[in-house]
Structures are given as structure tokens and as C-alpha cells.
Amino acid sequence: MLRIFFGADDLARVRVAERPDMSMELALSVHALVNGLRDPRFEAWREGLRASWSPRTALLFDLYTPSAIPEFLTVRRDPGATESATAATPEAPLREHLRAVGGERQLSAFARGVAAGDRRAREVLGHVTAEYQTRAIDPYRRQIETIVTTEHGRRRWMTEPDRILGSLHPAVNWRRPVLSFPLANRCRHDVRLDGRGLLLQPCVFGPRRPVIARFEDPSQQPVLLYPARIGGPLRAEPEPAPSRTLTALLGQTRAAALESIAVHGPCSTKELAARLGISTASASEHATVLADSGLTVKGRTGRTVTHRLTPLGEALLAGHLPALGAGRESA
């Protein structure tokens, strides 16, 4: 049984995530494979993986047990950035996790190399994670985003934290000030939020019962992962990638940013950063270059800066250019 103890400040800091945590989705999807998840909604997903499976991907299984999920696998919009970020995982959380895995079963040679900080093992970890992302996450990214944002929209009208916490999941019991639910391994654990609040993160690949993450570090807000409602089967829907010509002209990240604004519509800098899997500061720099080039225009909604395409940006994506001078709009 897991018991989460709330203080008055914690209840005021309960919120439901607006967007998916793709790093956790990837980690949980591997966990589903390790545990032999048999859910008809994921059959098409599993079949797609079988058709493109790389035997080396199974190295990721070495980082799991039925109850241990690596939280250090890092997903970025660009698989190359995923590879670099995962390979550069700080040693402390990685060793701590693998110590827990080693307490349940013998570590493989690959896992021992990762734990020891072996450079080659870390590079392989980054490469395998990025490779798995391109097969298991990227083709389903838009559907995952739709499921999670729909879940957020369903709960955003629940202004009372008691209502939110009391309706999360059939296995969850909420009695002020304690949220509790059974753990898979039947052990007992208490978590005190101590003013950090709680982020409720809907997950597509989440297990059938909630899981708590990032609770041991007092500087981090704990995250409660719970299964989102999935209306139908998960099917591949490749997101349109920027053309090679556009990528060569603008660079990969700016081309992806322009494509994202075209596909998903105007957005804030923070939203653009989330879509691309980069920092807000980096997204701001790329958005400024696009605006200075006349491909996007900045507007303002209250105190929030938004970005939308100009006719020049639309024409560039369409593969042709309008008459000279037709590209810029007033904000």
C-alpha cells in the first residue's frame, strides 16, 4: 500500500498535466513489453514493433524488473537529441536505479557497464533508446498527445482537489489528508509531500494502476502517473516531417518548429518548447530567428507571446514563394 500525505499547501498545488511526458511514455511502454502486457488496444502497436524490431532493443529490458522503471531515459523531439541526452544521464540516478534492479536479479553485462559509467555502454544506451523511440513512440505521438490533452480537458473543470483526487482511478482511495492505493509488490510505503504538491500525469502506456515517480528528491515535485482513458486502439500516424530541403535551409529544429506551428496552429513559446522537446530558452531563440526571417509573426494574448505563420512561412512549407514583399504581417 502506498500512502501519500498532503498538507494544506500541497492541496493547493495539485494539478493535472496538460501534455504527455514522452520520456515516461517511452519508459512505461518498455515496461509494458517486459511485463507481457496483453491489451487489445495495444495490439496494433505491438504488431508494428514486431515488424520493425531490432534485437539490440532488448538491451533496454536489462534496466527493468516488474516493479523498477528507469526514470532517466530521456525523449526529445529529435531522436539524435534523445540519444545524446540519454547517454549523458547523470551517474547518481542511473546507479541508484541499477542498484535497485540488482537487488531483485543479477545485472547483465550491459547493465553493469552502464552502472560503471562505461562510455561505450552509455553510447549504446543512448542509441538503443533513440532507435526504440522512432519505432514505438514517434509514429503514435499525435495520438498520445490527443489522449492526454483530452484527459486534461476532462478534468480541468474540476476546481476542487477533493473531486480530482477522488475520481482518479478505481484503485485510489482519497480521505483527507491521505491518498492511498495498493502497490504491485504488496509492500507498504509512505510519501510526504511537504509542500511540493503533486503533478497528476495521465499516461497512455501507464500500468493498470497508478505509479508514483520523482518523489525521493525533495527539490522535485512528485508525479503520480495514472492510466488515461483510451477510446480505441493505438495506431501509427506518422507526423509529417520537414522536407530535406527545408531542413537544409533552416536547420532541423527550426524546420520542425515551423512545421509544428503549421500542423498544430499558433502557440506560445512554452508550448512550442514542449512540442519540440527543447528548453523554453532554446525555443525562444529559434522562434525569434523565424520571426526575423518573416516566416512567423509574434502576437500577444495578455502577457503571453504567441507565434503563427505568415504567408511567406506557409508558402515555404508548400514549396513555393509568393511575390516579393508579401511575406510580412503586422502583429
Side-chain angles (χ1 to χ4, degrees):
M1 177 71 68
L2 177 70
R3 299 188 301 174
I4 305 175
F5 290 82
F6 289 72
D9 292 342
D10 297 310
L11 286 173
R13 298 192 63 199
V14 171
R15 66 184 182 89
V16 181
E18 299 179 20
R19 299 183 60 81
D21 182 332
M22 289 300 182
S23 296
M24 287 308 305
E25 292 289 357
L26 182 143
L28 290 169
S29 72
V30 178
H31 188 250
L33 295 174
V34 169
N35 287 347
L37 173 67
R38 292 293 177 183
D39 187 321
R41 296 171 301 177
F42 297 109
E43 275 308 306
W45 173 75
R46 293 177 68 94
E47 286 300 322
L49 281 181
R50 287 192 192 100
S52 62
W53 185 256
S54 168
R56 197 160 70 154
T57 305
L59 289 172
L60 290 175
F61 296 172
D62 296 354
L63 310 178
Y64 286 78
T65 70
S67 60
I69 300 172
E71 299 177 17
F72 51 79
L73 301 178
T74 305
V75 171
R76 297 285 185 260
R77 174 72 64 169
D78 173 21
T82 292
E83 181 172 351
S84 301
T86 300
T89 299
E91 290 189 8
L94 196 152
R95 286 182 175 174
E96 184 177 344
H97 171 78
L98 290 174
R99 189 180 299 116
V101 172
E104 296 188 43
R105 62 174 175 81
Q106 185 175 1
L107 292 179
S108 68
F110 169 66
R112 290 196 303 271
V114 171
D118 179 76
R119 183 179 64 83
R120 177 58 183 160
R122 292 290 192 92
E123 289 175 351
V124 170
L125 173 61
H127 178 75
V128 169
T129 302
E131 188 177 56
Y132 178 77
Q133 172 189 330
T134 62
R135 293 178 168 88
I137 298 298
D138 288 347
Y140 309 89
R141 185 182 288 267
R142 282 200 280 180
Q143 192 174 355
I144 293 170
E145 289 177 347
T146 298
I147 291 170
V148 172
T149 54
T150 299
E151 175 73 13
H152 173 265
R154 192 171 63 84
R155 295 188 178 276
R156 60 188 272 186
W157 306 111
M158 300 181 186
T159 55
E160 293 296 324
D162 290 290
R163 188 179 174 194
I164 297 174
L165 296 171
S167 64
L168 271 182
H169 189 273
V172 171
N173 181 48
W174 168 243
R175 290 186 181 179
R176 277 187 183 238
V178 181
L179 186 78
S180 61
F181 53 88
L183 294 172
N185 53 10
R186 298 184 179 180
C187 67
R188 189 181 183 91
H189 193 77
D190 290 346
V191 174
R192 299 186 181 275
L193 298 179
D194 295 327
R196 293 177 292 170
L198 185 66
L199 175 64
L200 306 174
Q201 178 67 63
C203 291
V204 172
F205 290 103
R208 295 187 180 277
R209 63 184 68 196
V211 173
I212 192 163
R214 300 168 189 163
F215 62 92
E216 295 176 329
D217 185 346
S219 66
Q220 284 193 312
Q221 184 178 44
V223 180
L224 188 67
L225 309 164
Y226 72 95
R229 293 184 182 181
I230 305 174
L234 200 65
R235 298 190 183 280
E237 185 184 354
E239 186 162 343
S243 69
R244 291 184 179 180
T245 303
L246 187 64
T247 299
L249 179 65
L250 300 178
Q252 188 165 24
T253 303
R254 282 195 282 276
L258 195 67
E259 185 77 41
S260 176
I261 296 171
V263 171
H264 299 291
C267 62
S268 67
T269 304
K270 185 176 180 180
E271 289 170 334
L272 183 62
R275 292 176 185 177
L276 301 178
I278 60 179
S279 69
T280 303
S282 180
S284 178
E285 291 178 6
H286 289 302
T288 296
V289 173
L290 292 175
D292 289 347
S293 302
L295 301 175
T296 63
V297 63
K298 295 181 180 182
R300 190 172 289 275
T301 304
R303 299 178 63 182
T304 302
V305 175
T306 58
H307 311 279
R308 56 190 173 89
L309 288 186
T310 63
L312 180 61
E314 294 173 356
L316 187 61
L317 286 169
H320 62 269
L321 294 176
L324 188 62
R328 292 191 179 269
E329 279 187 21
S330 57

